[in-house]
Amino acid sequence: MKKQRQKHKPAGHRYTTLKQLCNLIPGHMVTNLAKKHGVDARSRTYTPWSHVVSLLYAHFAHALGLNDVCDALQMNAAALSTIRGAVPPSRNNLSHANQVRDANMAEELYWSMMKHLMDTVPGFAKGKVRSGYLRRFSKAIHALDSTTIQLVANSMDWAKHRRRKAAAKCHMRLDLQSFLPRCAIVDTAKHHDSRKTLSLCADLEAGEIVVFDKAYIKFKHLFELTERGINWAGRAKDNMQYTVMRSLETTKNKRILRDEVIELMLEKSKKAYPCELRRVVALVEINGKDVEMVFLTKHLEWSEWTVAELYRCRWDIEVFFKEIKQTLQLSDFLGYSANAVRWQVWTGLLVHLLMRCLKFMHGWDHSFKRLFTVVRVSLWRRWNLPALLESYGTAKPPGRIRGAPEQAYLPGFI
């Protein structure tokens, strides 16, 4: 009987996987932010660092509640203490910290860590990591959208937006070339997406491109973007009234139906956006069927297919939202207050950032979900993390070229 080949065991390490991940966060960063936001004044035995580590663990382990987090950390208190003296919380400590400690600290921690990783990890979030059509543009391309996070209606009155529903929303501006957020707002779901447009686009620079869905079509704001020299493209609303000024010549692409220069007809809309607009009608394949879509832009020099392709690239932000919802713990919350929800969402985004950096540093070329799974099941193991990813058989190419020398790997993976 042929003996089954055993998978190579990764090299040992003096630290647990969880500690190796937490070591990516500089030791002074959490302490300084806690002082800045007054969080250290509200803590006695349960330090701000212990609080952050507890919430990071809740996401990595997919903890289902306070008891899940507290019991697991208590059982691994010895290993936890090696993470810069972090201590396991009691149920009351963790609940109280989520409720009263300023969640703005978690938000600033996320952006501080992004800047730190971009400065210390060469190439992270700086190069054009997105392939294909986006490589044609030298300026940054951003996508605006929001995702709804369902909450418990009978426990979270502050988040009610329907009679029997409660939810929070994460509004985001995603850099489509680095696939990382550039602006994010966590708020209740009862407000329309267009109300957050000004805040999401506040720090865009002239020449950059922003794409969005019809929910963000607000003519007054679009004119402000035009005045600032920002290029934009989005879907037109179905009830938009306009006058066709002239038709532009289209290429031989059969999927482009019309390319027109228009002016808005209604007095209120024309006052908000007094300039000409470009209207492109194209066939877009969705779920195997061709659907007619109408796009708007202020740019008259792009080809009509460029406008349609830019909007197609906007779907990458949907992939981002799917990625965080499949990996982070955003279905069960450790607290009912708005502050507790914000703590959990922002620390979840921090976990995603750390995993994206890990993926970049160790050349992980497979799914993000599988990377998260490998890390999650080894949190308390004392294994060398880079060696773990390599020995798991997914950080290196799956095979060799037939007939090639033994050490010749597939091109592009060396």
Side-chain angles (χ1 to χ4, degrees), residues 238-360:
D238 298 333
N239 60 351
M240 185 182 71
Q241 298 186 33
Y242 60 93
T243 302
V244 178
M245 305 304 294
R246 62 184 183 276
S247 296
L248 302 177
E249 293 186 7
T250 60
T251 59
K252 296 181 180 180
N253 194 321
K254 296 181 180 180
R255 304 190 70 81
I256 302 297
L257 304 182
R258 288 184 295 280
D259 188 4
E260 305 164 334
V261 176
I262 65 170
E263 282 189 355
L264 299 174
M265 185 180 297
L266 295 180
E267 183 178 351
K268 183 178 179 181
S269 300
K270 194 170 183 179
K271 184 179 179 180
Y273 198 100
C275 303
E276 292 181 333
L277 287 168
R278 186 179 181 187
R279 181 176 180 269
V280 176
V281 184
L283 290 176
V284 179
E285 184 177 343
I286 299 178
N287 297 327
K289 297 181 180 180
D290 286 341
V291 178
E292 185 176 307
M293 286 190 176
V294 182
F295 307 110
L296 282 182
T297 183
K298 70 104 176 179
H299 208 291
L300 301 179
E301 297 179 359
W302 286 337
S303 71
E304 63 276 14
W305 190 242
T306 297
V307 178
E309 278 291 294
L310 277 173
Y311 185 82
R312 183 187 64 81
C313 296
R314 189 204 69 87
W315 285 96
D316 280 3
I317 195 171
E318 304 290 351
V319 176
F320 179 88
F321 288 143
K322 182 178 179 181
E323 191 172 275
I324 63 175
K325 285 189 171 183
Q326 284 184 340
T327 54
L328 305 178
Q329 182 52 288
L330 296 177
S331 56
D332 291 285
F333 284 83
L334 306 180
Y336 292 151
S337 66
N339 197 68
V341 170
R342 291 186 66 225
W343 263 106
Q344 192 160 336
V345 172
W346 280 110
T347 52
L349 291 174
L350 177 58
V351 166
H352 178 267
L353 178 66
L354 296 177
M355 296 299 293
R356 282 292 310 280
C357 186
L358 191 70
K359 179 178 185 291
F360 174 81

